Amino acid sequence: MASAAAAIIKIAAHSSSSSSFALFTSSSILLRSTCFSITNTKTYQNNLLSCGFSRNKRMAHVISKATLGLTLPAQIDHPKISFSAKETDLVEWKGDILAVGVTEKDMLKDENSKFQNPILKKLDSQLGGLLSEVSVEEDFTGKTGQSTVIRLAGLGSKRVSLIGLGKGSTGSSTVAYHSLGESVASAAKASQANNVAIALASLEGLTYESKIAIASALAKGTLLGTYEDNRFKSESKKSALKSVELLGLGTGPELEKKLKYTEDVCSGVILAKELVNAPANVLTPEVLAAEAEKIAATYSDVLTAKILDTEQCKELKMGSYLGVAAASTNPPKFIHLCYKPPSGSVKTKLALVGKGLTFDSGGYNIKTGPGCSIEMMKVDMGGSSAVLGAAKALGQIKPPGVEVHFIVAACENMISGTGMRPGDILTASNGKTIEVNNTDAEGRLTLADALVYACNQGVDKIVDLATLTGACIVALGPSVAGIFTPSDELSKEVVAASEVAGEKLWRMPMEESYWEQMKSGVADMVNTGGRQGGSITAALFLKQFVDEKVQWLHIDMAGPVWSDKKKAATGFAISTLVEWVVFNSSS
């Protein structure tokens, strides 16, 4: 028994000591080694009691955690890339890759097949006409998604890459520049480049503020494009990229501050990606709560953590949330982080509430048939990942004048003899009763008690986020999240934040007449209406649990939480949430 424990300790030490994923999984294996190697019945029973598992249900929890694949996430190094802004001339820059973003207009040539754009003309002259020659041979016209790389010898740059920006970014949109950064990251991976420079062929008409926004988008695209989640792969190739220089976009403390802000936001996005990517046998409600506590401990000067267990949730009469959690052997954990600025008074109190279903089987209305995507239901905690990712970013940014509550009712929606049944009536913490006509509409049940809890913190505004309905994906597709709110003011705030962040939101109607289909004959409401307008009726359901004095907005992010193309989480909404909080800190 001692040798088995020592072996487990060795395994845990090999994994990341700072990772709650690894800590909880290895602890489960240790419990299994301790409890199951005992053959004497009396000793066995005493051992269970000493471990704190006096009831069969808790023992089942140990068994389930101990036998689900023995998967330990490997320790991976997040990208450590140094970003700097310089005014170095392109032809004088020395390094591995010089990447130039070009529009279709930039690629126009004169009657002698020479570039009209002065920057490209100068660079092409330095290369002896090779740039124009290659662009013609490869039919590179600067369209979005196009790129070409020229390998050089004897010059400062080992490679020069032209990357298409299409017709160019318009207005305040930074999406094209984010994509440019991602393309640079891909080129750097392919060549194992250590250092790259990014420049734009056209800078005319750009204000200083525009240049700062573009620099931020380039840094964000490069940093997130470099990151790969290889924790669950037996072998992986590390990125060699160490430094990125942004040329021609200005210099100074304001730009440096913006680049630091971008890195902080990206750290939150990466955390969110890891949480969503983690399988349900690794990321249980307990582990999600441990990750939240880890964030609070890391930024303890501004963040505190409170984790409520089942008994504490019972005391708060969270019957709606506990009804969903009742079937699982993995106990629920109600997560509450609170951010308070390091100095100064608080002018505004905000709450970010995220749906935290670490797995959703559908319950007795089990997900079945083609397209049910039950195998993807690890993503059903995407709302909570956005909330915790934002908490990590804000813990570093430390905006003044604003208090933020991060709230997640974490649990699993499983099937067992203790689980809620279709037709059951649940009582939420605000006293309202809910007839459960579909156990697969569970997210709104957990959010109900989370929203009541958020209102009880005395907040002025609430944004909740959830992978709530397939109906929203049908309406808006995989790349756009739907927003629902009675408040025009709050809608404008959040949409403005999303535009700065480069994320797509679309306001949907709160059609009050649809509430008729949500009425129950035996309770205050049912938890689902008909198929038509499903995302709207879900939002109307959530509204029943928000104080009328509190401004509230719901984000249905079922579509953009996951990329089918990349087969990975997107980290959606963190950038928008951080921008929104920062806006409220300065308003």
Side-chain angles (χ1 to χ4, degrees):
M1 183 169 68
S3 62
I8 296 302
I9 292 171
K10 185 176 180 181
I11 292 172
H14 177 68
S15 64
S16 171
S17 59
S18 63
S19 169
S20 300
F21 295 131
L23 174 63
F24 270 76
T25 311
S26 59
S27 299
S28 303
I29 303 170
L30 178 57
L31 284 169
R32 186 192 65 166
S33 303
T34 305
C35 295
F36 291 107
S37 60
I38 301 170
T39 53
N40 180 276
T41 303
K42 185 174 181 179
T43 307
Y44 171 76
Q45 292 172 340
N46 290 338
N47 188 71
L48 291 182
L49 290 171
S50 69
C51 288
F53 300 108
S54 57
R55 289 184 288 181
N56 289 336
K57 185 174 180 180
R58 293 296 290 153
M59 185 57 220
H61 171 51
V62 181
I63 295 172
S64 66
K65 281 173 57 173
T67 57
L68 283 176
L70 307 183
T71 301
L72 289 173
Q75 180 179 3
I76 60 173
D77 296 324
H78 291 169
K80 301 292 183 184
I81 302 173
S82 170
F83 290 90
S84 59
K86 298 182 178 180
E87 291 295 343
T88 307
D89 193 309
L90 270 65
V91 299
E92 296 176 1
W93 184 82
K94 296 182 180 180
D96 292 332
I97 299 177
L98 172 63
V100 184
V102 297
T103 65
E104 294 176 37
K105 182 180 178 181
D106 296 331
M107 294 302 297
L108 296 177
K109 299 180 178 67
D110 59 22
E111 63 276 6
N112 297 316
S113 298
K114 301 295 183 181
F115 288 111
Q116 298 180 33
N117 178 278
I119 291 178
L120 293 182
K121 187 175 183 178
K122 184 177 181 181
L123 187 59
D124 193 34
S125 177
Q126 181 76 11
L127 299 176
L130 186 59
L131 203 60
S132 57
E133 183 181 331
V134 170
S135 66
V136 171
E137 288 180 356
E138 298 190 7
D139 194 27
F140 180 86
T141 60
K143 291 181 179 179
T144 303
Q146 281 189 321
S147 65
T148 184
V149 179
I150 304 171
R151 187 163 186 166
L152 308 171
L155 294 176
S157 314
K158 295 179 182 178
R159 292 174 177 83
V160 173
S161 175
L162 297 183
I163 300 173
L165 293 171
K167 297 188 182 300
S169 184
T170 58
S172 60
S173 173
T174 56
V175 174
Y177 302 112
H178 184 279
S179 297
L180 172 56
E182 288 183 329
S183 297
V184 170
S186 297
K189 280 182 194 175
S191 61
Q192 285 294 288
N194 290 117
N195 50 79
V196 303
I198 307 175
L200 301 180
S202 296
L203 296 168
E204 299 86 4
L206 293 178
T207 63
Y208 181 61
E209 291 73 19
S210 296
K211 289 181 178 180
I212 290 178
I214 290 169
S216 175
L218 290 173
K220 183 179 179 182
T222 306
L223 187 54
L224 296 180
T226 303
Y227 171 75
E228 285 187 42
D229 189 353
N230 294 318
R231 294 169 299 156
F232 302 102
K233 294 181 179 179
S234 57
E235 296 181 6
S236 61
K237 188 177 182 180
K238 293 183 179 179
S239 171
L241 187 58
K242 302 299 180 186
S243 67
V244 175
E245 295 178 22
L246 305 175
L247 307 182
L249 293 173
T251 58
E254 190 174 347
L255 180 54
E256 291 174 4
K257 182 180 178 181
K258 186 64 174 181
L259 290 175
K260 174 62 171 60
Y261 170 91
T262 302
E263 291 182 52
D264 293 339
V265 172
C266 286
S267 72
V269 174
I270 288 172
L271 171 66
K273 287 186 173 188
E274 291 187 344
L275 292 174
V276 174
N277 287 338
N281 63 325
V282 171
L283 187 72
T284 63
E286 284 180 291
V287 175
L288 190 63
E291 287 295 309
E293 289 181 305
K294 179 182 168 185
I295 295 168
T298 303
Y299 309 106
S300 58
D301 57 328
V302 291
L303 283 170
T304 57
K306 180 190 293 185
I307 310 297
L308 306 181
D309 61 19
T310 302
E311 292 305 315
Q312 290 169 307
C313 291
K314 284 182 179 177
E315 291 175 7
L316 294 175
K317 299 181 179 180
M318 296 183 177
S320 187
Y321 164 48
L322 293 176
V324 176
S328 179
T329 54
N330 287 313
K333 295 292 177 181
F334 192 94
I335 301 164
H336 177 198
L337 300 185
C338 181
Y339 167 86
K340 292 185 178 181
S343 61
S345 61
V346 171
K347 297 178 292 183
T348 306
K349 292 185 179 182
L350 309 175
L352 300 177
V353 179
K355 177 182 172 183
L357 269 292
T358 57
F359 188 77
D360 174 24
S361 70
Y364 278 109
N365 292 108
I366 189 170
K367 297 177 185 291
T368 57
C372 72
S373 300
I374 191 171
E375 74 283 358
M376 287 301 303
M377 284 303 106
K378 66 178 184 178
V379 309
D380 215 17
M381 40 64 64
S384 67
S385 76
V387 167
L388 296 184
K392 181 175 182 178
L394 292 165
Q396 299 168 78
I397 295 167
K398 299 177 175 48
V402 63
E403 178 178 306
V404 189
H405 297 266
F406 308 88
I407 297 166
V408 175
C411 65
E412 293 179 326
N413 184 26
M414 301 296 281
I415 301 172
S416 76
T418 62
M420 67 177 179
R421 294 144 293 216
D424 282 359
I425 296 177
L426 309 177
T427 303
S429 48
N430 65 347
K432 293 188 177 182
T433 58
I434 307 156
E435 180 185 3
V436 179
N437 59 3
N438 190 334
T439 61
D440 194 24
E442 83 301 327
R444 64 197 71 182
L445 296 174
T446 65
L447 287 170
D449 282 324
L451 289 169
V452 172
Y453 183 93
C455 290
N456 289 339
Q457 306 310 307
V459 299
D460 305 300
K461 305 174 186 178
I462 298 174
V463 171
D464 81 69
L465 306 98
T467 49
L468 204 64
T469 67
C472 204
I473 304 177
V474 173
L476 299 176
S479 301
V480 183
I483 62 172
F484 303 78
T485 178
S487 170
D488 293 341
E489 178 187 350
L490 186 53
S491 175
K492 289 177 181 177
E493 285 183 13
V494 175
V495 169
S498 74
E499 289 174 350
V500 173
E503 296 179 318
K504 297 177 181 178
L505 304 180
W506 189 264
R507 188 177 182 183
M508 302 284 278
M510 294 281 288
E511 180 53 55
E512 292 291 342
S513 66
Y514 290 4
W515 184 247
E516 284 298 315
Q517 58 185 289
M518 298 294 289
K519 292 182 178 179
S520 166
V522 293
D524 293 333
M525 68 194 84
V526 292
N527 68 323
T528 63
R531 289 177 59 85
Q532 297 177 335
S535 58
I536 298 174
T537 53
L540 292 172
F541 177 91
L542 296 178
K543 184 185 174 186
Q544 311 306 308
F545 303 92
V546 180
D547 192 306
E548 291 183 357
K549 298 177 182 178
V550 178
Q551 291 187 59
W552 160 76
L553 181 143
H554 161 60
I555 301 179
D556 193 329
M557 53 187 287
V561 72
W562 184 263
S563 169
D564 285 331
K565 181 180 179 181
K566 296 181 179 179
K567 295 181 173 59
T570 61
F572 183 82
I574 292 87
S575 300
T576 295
L577 295 179
V578 173
E579 288 289 341
W580 178 65
V581 170
V582 170
F583 168 80
N584 275 275
S585 75
S586 59
S587 60

